[in-house]
Amino acid sequence: SLGKKHKFWETQPVGQFKDVGDTSLPEGPIEPPTPLSEVKQEPYNLPSPYEWTTCDLDSEETCNEVYNLLKNNYVEDDENMFRFNYSKEFLRWALRPPGYYKSWHIGVRAKTSKKLVAFITGVPARIRVRDEVVKMAEINFLCVHKKLRSKRLAPVMIKEVTRRVHLENIWQAAYTAGVVLPTPITTCQYWHRSLNPKKLIDVGFSRLGPRMTMSRTIKLYKLPDQPATPGFRKMELRDVPAVTRLLRNYLSQFVVSPDFDENDVEHWLLPTEDVVDSYLVESPKTHDITDFCSFYTLPSSILGNQNYSILKAAYSYYNVSTKTPLLQLMNDALIVAKKKDFDVFNALDVMHNKSFLKELKFGPGDGQLHYYLYNYRIRNALRTSELGLVLL
Ligand SMILES: CCCCCCCCCCCCCC(=O)CSCCNC(=O)CCNC(=O)[C@H](O)C(C)(C)COP(=O)(O)OP(=O)(O)OC[C@H]1O[C@@H](n2cnc3c(N)ncnc32)[C@H](O)[C@@H]1OP(=O)(O)O
Ligand SMILES: CN(C)Cc1n[nH]c2ccc(-c3ccc(F)cc3OCCn3ccnc3)cc12
């Protein structure tokens, strides 16, 4: 279309808007791998006042710098009322999965002050697309300090992380964004389930419904004190093999999903305090593990409210139902999240989530999350129910 030009993205091996609907283009890699000897050996040039740095998250000091850069400059909602406040332990979890590369934790510093002013990361992942398992980089935490915006720093950072991923002989990537870029493989809606409606209304996250009083609203979102499902319990290390089998089988039905092995499941799904919570249903009779649900902890800073500074949000992660109805399983997830003092439980309309959102009193969010693959063409955009991938 004659719309806005993507000067950088039109140079990249991604689906281009002009090609949408061209079914003659084959599904799969857009460009072949480059011989490693031909990959640019030295980093891309930054504007002169800036220099590259590799952020070692094992270092308390560097992890603090990354935390503060994101806390003050990362993603805000459309009304600039909230900003993601990823915790340090969350960042260490998200960025150090099995096989991670420190060199993919890329920062930009001002040469004189040595201040961290920008950041971008990749982590390795095996992503299945239909029946192909592809080694990819999951790109995330792209952030440029508010004072350095609109200077075309983002394209340089993207090219640099691409170069470092190429050096590890990986040629595809997956990422999500709230903005439309060439070209989404699917576009999700996000939904919110109030757990603490009084606080959500006080901070302006929600509004009192028409003909609703506050006490009626509190009553509407009230939840039981305990989960309903017999055998519902926290996941433990001993459950990793069974949860891996359950999850691999469940995810095999989606067009795009992670190809998790036991090491991945142990990292991504074993409960970690204030980072990720996972529960399963162990049949009291057979001791089989029949169902699984999980959510991660991602608070948002509340910008400009006298009474509250943090919104405690849980985000639906991976859920598997084979015996317990998904509706009941997710209601139990809401119950334990409320018990853990979360204010809101968020979910995307991916996988089978649409089947419970309305019935469990989720309300639609005010934005969308677009999913992207780099250097991999998908012939037709996917339905959100064909997507089995959740990025942090
Ligand atoms: C084989 C491996 C491959 C690995 C790499 C794969 C690709 C990975 C791609 C990265 C995935 C990250 C995923 C992720 O982290 C999750 S999405 C969250 C991104 N971060 C934020 O929204 C934080 C707040 N915003 C900022 O820090 C800045 O606004 C950023 C840094 C976003 C842009 O900085 P800026 O100062 O506002 O802008 P300029 O420097 O002047 O640059 C303008 C150009 O940047 C394009 N742009 C804007 N937002 C983007 C976004 N979210 N993805 C990709 N591209 C984005 C834009 O279209 C334009 O290009 P165009 O002219 O062609 O349109
Ligand atoms: C996914 N990951 C890459 C972070 C990320 N980047 N860009 C985004 C845009 C929306 C969502 C999102 C995903 C699920 C959800 F239930 C609510 C969301 O945003 C609400 C609006 N908001 C933004 C900040 N505080 C509140 C995440 C992201």
Side-chain angles (χ1 to χ4, degrees):
S1 77
L2 297 176
K4 155 162 96 90
K5 297 240 164 302
H6 289 284
K7 281 278 157 271
F8 167 68
W9 280 108
E10 282 160 13
T11 71
Q12 296 298 295
V14 292
Q16 298 297 331
F17 291 141
K18 64 179 174 49
D19 297 336
V20 170
D22 182 348
T23 50
S24 73
L25 295 166
E27 181 151 303
I30 294 169
E31 282 178 350
T34 316
L36 288 191
S37 55
E38 288 174 34
V39 176
K40 190 172 180 323
Q41 298 299 306
E42 65 289 342
Y44 281 88
N45 289 333
L46 280 166
S48 60
Y50 306 109
E51 63 189 9
W52 295 111
T53 184
T54 297
C55 295
D56 177 1
L57 296 177
D58 302 340
S59 145
E60 189 60 27
E61 187 188 354
T62 310
C63 195
N64 264 322
E65 288 183 282
V66 170
Y67 168 75
N68 283 306
L69 174 74
L70 296 173
K71 179 178 188 294
N72 297 320
N73 301 281
Y74 201 47
V75 184
E76 299 174 7
D77 67 307
D78 292 350
E79 292 168 49
N80 307 103
M81 293 172 65
F82 308 99
R83 183 162 54 236
F84 286 134
N85 184 347
Y86 287 88
S87 71
K88 285 193 290 185
E89 60 267 32
F90 189 105
L91 292 168
R92 286 184 165 130
W93 170 69
L95 297 175
R96 298 187 303 181
Y100 80 95
Y101 303 92
K102 268 188 188 165
S103 59
W104 293 8
H105 302 161
I106 305 169
V108 174
R109 289 186 187 281
K111 279 177 186 158
T112 49
S113 66
K114 297 298 177 197
K115 257 180 70 60
L116 189 69
V117 295
F119 189 58
I120 188 168
T121 68
V123 292
R126 283 185 325 287
I127 305 287
R128 181 183 50 75
V129 184
R130 291 190 221 279
D131 48 16
E132 292 286 313
V133 175
V134 183
K135 283 218 70 172
M136 295 198 189
E138 286 175 359
I139 307 302
N140 210 339
F141 303 108
L142 168 60
C143 183
V144 167
H145 194 285
K146 283 171 179 270
K147 293 206 170 86
L148 297 177
R149 296 283 171 84
S150 308
K151 296 173 179 297
R152 308 300 293 179
L153 262 178
V156 178
M157 297 183 66
I158 293 164
K159 287 191 288 190
E160 181 60 15
V161 74
T162 301
R163 186 187 71 84
R164 297 190 191 191
V165 171
H166 285 166
L167 288 174
E168 304 299 342
N169 198 24
I170 291 173
W171 306 94
Q172 273 72 36
Y175 51 105
T176 57
V179 293
V180 178
L181 306 163
T183 298
I185 61 166
T186 196
T187 294
C188 307
Q189 299 283 333
Y190 40 79
W191 293 69
H192 313 290
R193 206 286 185 184
S194 297
L195 299 176
N196 183 351
K198 185 173 179 328
K199 176 175 175 182
L200 295 181
I201 290 164
D202 284 356
V203 305
F205 182 92
S206 323
R207 279 185 301 282
L208 212 47
R211 298 181 303 287
M212 289 288 280
T213 62
M214 183 60 84
S215 64
R216 172 100 180 71
T217 303
I218 291 168
K219 200 158 172 290
L220 173 70
Y221 291 113
K222 196 148 179 53
L223 288 162
D225 201 40
Q226 298 300 332
T229 308
F232 186 89
R233 64 170 173 82
K234 272 190 79 160
M235 178 186 177
E236 298 167 19
L237 184 60
R238 63 190 170 95
D239 301 312
V240 164
V243 168
T244 305
R245 276 193 297 278
L246 194 71
L247 190 57
R248 286 185 63 85
N249 187 46
Y250 191 78
L251 291 175
S252 64
Q253 67 187 294
F254 303 112
V255 172
V256 174
S257 87
D259 181 61
F260 284 141
D261 65 18
E262 289 187 6
N263 284 332
D264 301 316
V265 167
E266 183 175 338
H267 178 81
W268 292 119
L269 294 167
L270 208 50
T272 306
E273 183 88 24
D274 295 331
V275 171
V276 59
D277 287 274
S278 310
Y279 296 84
L280 51 79
V281 179
E282 176 181 342
S283 158
K285 208 169 54 188
T286 66
H287 297 289
D288 285 343
I289 291 174
T290 56
D291 313 279
F292 174 83
C293 64
S294 59
F295 51 86
Y296 58 86
T297 299
L298 170 51
S300 278
S301 302
I302 302 170
L303 310 174
N305 181 283
Q306 277 72 17
N307 312 328
Y308 298 97
S309 59
I310 293 285
L311 184 71
K312 212 183 156 190
Y315 286 73
S316 179
Y317 199 29
Y318 291 99
N319 308 301
V320 179
S321 117
T322 69
K323 287 278 177 310
T324 308
L326 186 59
L327 196 74
Q328 179 181 321
L329 185 69
M330 293 310 294
N331 200 55
D332 284 344
L334 294 175
I335 291 166
V336 293
K338 170 67 182 173
K339 203 83 187 266
K340 288 169 157 278
D341 207 24
F342 284 97
D343 299 319
V344 65
F345 190 101
N346 292 332
L348 293 165
D349 63 356
V350 297
M351 296 182 267
H352 297 155
N353 290 356
K354 279 185 183 143
S355 72
F356 62 76
L357 291 168
K358 287 181 181 149
E359 202 159 345
L360 292 185
K361 299 172 187 158
F362 284 75
D366 62 2
Q368 299 175 311
L369 189 68
H370 308 276
Y371 275 73
Y372 302 95
L373 293 178
Y374 183 96
N375 193 21
Y376 200 93
R377 194 189 311 281
I378 296 270
R379 198 176 307 106
N380 302 312
L382 305 182
R383 292 188 292 275
T384 57
S385 57
E386 293 177 306
L387 189 68
L389 177 65
V390 176
L391 298 187
L392 303 170

